[in-house]
């Protein structure tokens, strides 16, 4: 039985990793061939770092993701505090609306925002670009912040806020000294989640970005339309290496904090 | 309670950027270019029944394949030595962190006529076969991209099943096959249901996978919508109509799936 399990998992991992492995190998290929390896070179990486389009869209992606996730975290944390104090019916309504961008197919969210922007662009004289992209990203990021922060209130002892006030804190002090540290883990995971979703988003950005502020996924998409270009392989290799590094780092930190907890 | 006021900015944000856009989709679907009420566009959606049927069919096949592959995998993961479990989960989930365009592009290069698979088959005297631009390639792309979404909820449900229950069933005379079908599977149903929704919904509304791996001839609902908004046949009213129908299909499926899901608290949401 053990043997069958091992074979099964190996086949699964082969299925998951073989395409990525092939992509990486051919990023070092001297020719554009995607099936015959004809020699080793770093040319595609050099070309990649001289590709103005890719560098600009990479910068755009970082700026948009950081701005959107920071703003979403503030907006979402404030929203979670307020929603948590609502009565049952308004609370349920607010949470249901909050869930719409998560449940809805991405393409419908993208298209609906595009319709809104087209409608107002004509009347208020603005065009698609950085602003519309940022609004779209915040719209699909905040729901995850709210969902991450809300459970922290349920786990918190509701009396500690009042205890802090009894001991002489005003409500602002009580919030920053007592409530905020309690809900901090939720805020951080909400921030990280919205940051990664923003980095990775293609579909919604595709409908709301316009020509001036393209993100990396949109540039990748237009590159794949032009058939063969090993620069994509080089880009994939770098992204894969970064992902592996980040996850390894996270794993090490988790293990460390687990050990500290045990002590 | 002044605290409620602090959520006002987001409540307004939701109204403007979630509720109003959806109302605009509905408005565009039921009006013509001049703003007069019409059912023409909704009726026109019927012309594309074949595309709807194809999308539902391919997404359903991909979902079933995902379930078949993911169930044993999740079971193996859940019953693994606790020490290696989290590392193994990380390894399984790692490809998901790469952008799906790159993952799909990887299959494009593998399946092409001059791709590695056809070269390898050529060495043993087979092919070349037409692998790219087929429905099979589209299903493969869906399975490859969404399989982790099936493994994750299944794993987190199976890992919580009390092992004593399995022993009790064996003590009471079940063989291992009966334990699987009478104990493990019923207890893992909530995970199966959320896995099905998490694979089916993105699969039915995708437009990149079908375009990159299916060529021009295997259009799905997503491609159809995209064409009405950014493609050559600009027609936002028809696009809104199709989007509305897609939303109804998705909502219907989610309602059906939630019927099976008795325990709301245990729902797996990533």
């Amino acid at each position: 039985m053990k043997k069958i399990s091992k074979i099964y998992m190996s086949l699964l991992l082969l299925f998951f990793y073989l395409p990525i492995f092939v992509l990486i190998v051919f990023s070092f290929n001297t020719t554009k061939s995607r099936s015959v390896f004809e020699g080793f070179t770093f040319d595609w990486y050099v070309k990649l770092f001289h590709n103005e389009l890719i560098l600009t869209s990479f910068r755009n992606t970082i700026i948009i993701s950081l701005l959107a996730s920071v703003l979403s975290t503030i907006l979402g944390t404030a929203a979670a505090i307020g929603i948590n104090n609502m009565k049952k019916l308004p609370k349920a309504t607010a949470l249901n609306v909050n869930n719409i961008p998560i449940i809805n197919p991405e393409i419908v969210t993208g298209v609906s925002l595009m319709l809104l922007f087209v409608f107002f662009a004509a009347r208020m004289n603005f065009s698609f670009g950085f602003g519309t992209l940022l609004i779209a990203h915040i719209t699909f990021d905040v729901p995850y912040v709210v969902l991450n922060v809300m459970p922290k209130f349920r786990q918190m002892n509701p009396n500690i806020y009042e205890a802090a006030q009894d001991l002489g804190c005003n409500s602002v002090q009580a919030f920053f000294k007592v409530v905020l540290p309690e809900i901090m883990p939720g805020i951080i995971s909400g921030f990280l989640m919205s940051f990664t979703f923003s980095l990775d988003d293609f579909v919604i950005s595709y409908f709301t970005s316009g020509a001036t502020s393209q993100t990396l996924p949109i540039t990748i998409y237009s590159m794949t339309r032009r058939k063969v270009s090993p620069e994509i392989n080089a880009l994939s290799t770098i992204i894969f290496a970064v992902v592996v590094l980040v996850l390894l780092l996270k794993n090490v930190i988790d293990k460390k904090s687990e050990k500290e907890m045990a002590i | 309670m002044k605290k409620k006021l602090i959520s006002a900015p987001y409540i307004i944000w939701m109204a403007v950027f979630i509720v109003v856009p959806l109302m605009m989709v509905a408005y565009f679907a039921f009006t013509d270019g001049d703003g007069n009420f019409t059912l023409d566009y909704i009726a026109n959606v019927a012309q594309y029944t074949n595309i709807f049927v194809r999308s539902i069919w391919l997404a359903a096949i991909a979902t079933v394949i995902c379930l078949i592959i993911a169930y044993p995998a999740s079971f193996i993961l859940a019953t693994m030595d606790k020490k290696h479990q989290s590392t193994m989960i990380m390894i399984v989930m790692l490809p998901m962190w790469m952008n799906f365009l790159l993952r799909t592009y990887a299959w494009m290069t593998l399946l092409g006529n001059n791709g590695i698979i056809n070269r390898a088959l050529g060495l043993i005297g087979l092919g070349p076969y037409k692998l790219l631009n087929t429905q099979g390639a589209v299903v493969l792309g869906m399975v490859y991209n969404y399989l982790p979404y099936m493994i994750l909820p299944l794993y987190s449900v199976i890992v919580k099943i009390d092992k004593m229950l399995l022993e009790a069933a064996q003590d009471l005379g079940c063989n291992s096959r009966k334990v699987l079908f009478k104990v493990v599977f019923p207890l893992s149903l909530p995970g199966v249901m959320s896995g099905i929704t998490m694979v089916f919904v993105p699969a039915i509304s995708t437009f990149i996978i079908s375009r990159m791996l299916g060529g021009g001839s295997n259009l799905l609902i997503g491609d159809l919508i995209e064409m009405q908004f950014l493609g050559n046949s600009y027609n936002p009213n028809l696009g809104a109509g199709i989007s509305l129908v897609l939303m109804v299909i998705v909502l219907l499926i989610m309602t059906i799936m939630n019927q099976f899901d008795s325990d709301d608290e245990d729902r797996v949401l990533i």
Side-chain angles (χ1 to χ4, degrees), chain A residues 192-240:
Chain A
L192 290 177
M193 229 168 156
S194 45
F195 184 66
T196 38
F197 278 122
S198 274
L199 273 185
D200 208 42
D201 175 73
F202 167 72
V203 176
I204 296 172
S205 306
Y206 181 65
F207 285 101
T208 53
S209 66
T212 51
S213 56
Q214 301 218 324
T215 61
L216 196 56
I218 296 176
T219 307
I220 293 172
Y221 176 64
S222 52
M223 282 169 82
T224 60
R225 306 298 292 157
R226 274 185 269 114
K227 294 273 174 189
V228 193
S229 74
E231 281 170 57
I232 305 182
N233 297 36
L235 186 64
S236 312
T237 309
I238 294 172
I239 293 179
F240 186 72

Side-chain angles (χ1 to χ4, degrees), chain B residues 73-117:
Chain B
S74 314
F75 190 82
I76 294 168
L77 281 170
T79 50
M80 235 173 134
D81 190 356
K82 280 272 178 291
K83 261 200 310 205
H84 306 300
Q85 225 172 75
S86 61
T87 316
M88 199 61 192
I89 295 276
M90 201 188 85
I91 294 172
V92 170
M93 292 298 150
L94 204 145
M96 208 178 79
W97 290 87
M98 278 247 293
N99 192 285
F100 83 103
L101 288 163
L102 296 175
R103 280 179 279 155
T104 313
Y105 175 77
W107 278 106
M108 236 170 105
T109 66
L110 283 179
L111 296 175
N113 280 339
N114 290 315
I116 289 228
I117 294 177

Side-chain angles (χ1 to χ4, degrees), chain A residues 2 4-6 8-9 12-13 15-20 22-23 26 33-36 75-76 78-83 85-87 93-95 97-109 111-120 134-136 138-139 142-144 146-147 153-154 161 175 179 193 196-197 199-203 206-207 217-218 220-221 223-225 227-230 232-233 235-237 239-240 243-244 247-248 251 255, chain B residues 1 3-11 13-22 24-28 68-77 79-81 83 86-88 90-103 105-110 112 114-117 119 132-133 140 143-144 147-149 151 201 204-208 211-212 221-223 225-226 229-230 234 236-237 239-240 243-244 246-247 250-251 254 265 267 269-270:
Chain A
K2 270 262 145 86
I4 299 175
S5 308
K6 269 194 183 140
Y8 191 84
M9 288 314 278
L12 187 74
L13 290 183
F15 176 59
F16 273 143
Y17 283 94
L18 194 68
I20 298 173
V22 171
L23 217 59
F26 281 95
S33 167
R34 296 189 280 192
S35 53
V36 185
L75 199 61
I81 295 167
I83 292 170
N85 283 300
M86 284 179 177
K87 290 203 183 68
T93 317
L95 284 179
V97 177
N98 181 64
N99 280 339
I100 290 177
I102 299 175
I103 296 167
N104 236 349
E106 274 183 311
I107 190 169
V108 177
T109 306
V111 159
S112 70
L113 281 167
M114 185 187 169
L115 280 178
L116 181 86
F117 294 149
V118 167
F119 185 82
F120 282 107
L134 185 64
I135 290 175
I138 293 176
T139 305
V142 183
Y144 293 99
V146 173
L147 280 189
F153 285 113
R154 243 182 285 141
Y161 177 69
F175 173 75
V179 179
M193 229 168 156
T196 38
F197 278 122
L199 273 185
D200 208 42
D201 175 73
F202 167 72
V203 176
Y206 181 65
F207 285 101
I218 296 176
I220 293 172
Y221 176 64
M223 282 169 82
T224 60
R225 306 298 292 157
K227 294 273 174 189
V228 193
S229 74
I232 305 182
N233 297 36
L235 186 64
S236 312
T237 309
I239 293 179
F240 186 72
V243 165
V244 171
L247 286 184
L248 277 179
N251 220 31
K255 284 253 165 72
Chain B
M1 282 302 256
K3 269 187 153 184
K4 264 182 253 174
L5 274 180
I6 198 174
S7 60
Y10 184 51
I11 302 288
W13 187 282
M14 286 200 291
V16 178
F17 295 114
I18 296 177
V19 179
V20 172
L22 285 182
M24 287 187 74
V25 170
Y27 174 81
F28 269 80
I68 293 170
I69 299 178
Y71 205 95
S74 314
F75 190 82
I76 294 168
L77 281 170
T79 50
M80 235 173 134
D81 190 356
K83 261 200 310 205
S86 61
T87 316
M88 199 61 192
M90 201 188 85
I91 294 172
V92 170
M93 292 298 150
L94 204 145
M96 208 178 79
W97 290 87
M98 278 247 293
N99 192 285
F100 83 103
L101 288 163
L102 296 175
R103 280 179 279 155
Y105 175 77
W107 278 106
M108 236 170 105
T109 66
L110 283 179
N114 290 315
I116 289 228
I117 294 177
R119 283 286 167 118
L132 197 63
N133 300 339
L140 177 76
V143 171
Y144 186 72
L147 188 56
Y149 294 127
I151 295 179
V201 171
I204 196 179
S205 55
T206 182
F207 71 98
I208 294 304
R211 188 161 312 164
M212 285 169 77
I221 303 175
D223 301 291
I225 295 176
E226 192 260 349
F229 285 98
L230 293 171
Y234 183 70
N237 298 84
S243 307
L244 207 62
L246 175 64
M247 251 167 78
V250 166
L251 272 180
M254 294 197 115
E265 289 294 309
R267 274 256 298 281
L269 235 180
I270 56 159

Side-chain angles (χ1 to χ4, degrees), chain A residues 163-193:
Chain A
Q165 284 182 312
D166 286 346
L167 291 168
C169 282
N170 61 35
S171 54
V172 177
Q173 278 176 325
F175 173 75
F176 280 103
K177 296 209 170 205
V178 176
V179 179
L180 198 61
E182 286 280 322
I183 60 173
M184 209 48 181
I187 296 176
I188 291 173
S189 54
F191 169 77
L192 290 177
M193 229 168 156

Side-chain angles (χ1 to χ4, degrees), chain A residues 122-142:
Chain A
R123 283 162 185 75
M124 290 166 73
N125 205 12
F126 67 86
S127 55
F128 277 59
F130 189 81
T132 51
L133 194 61
L134 185 64
I135 290 175
H137 275 237
I138 293 176
T139 305
F140 72 76
D141 278 345
V142 183

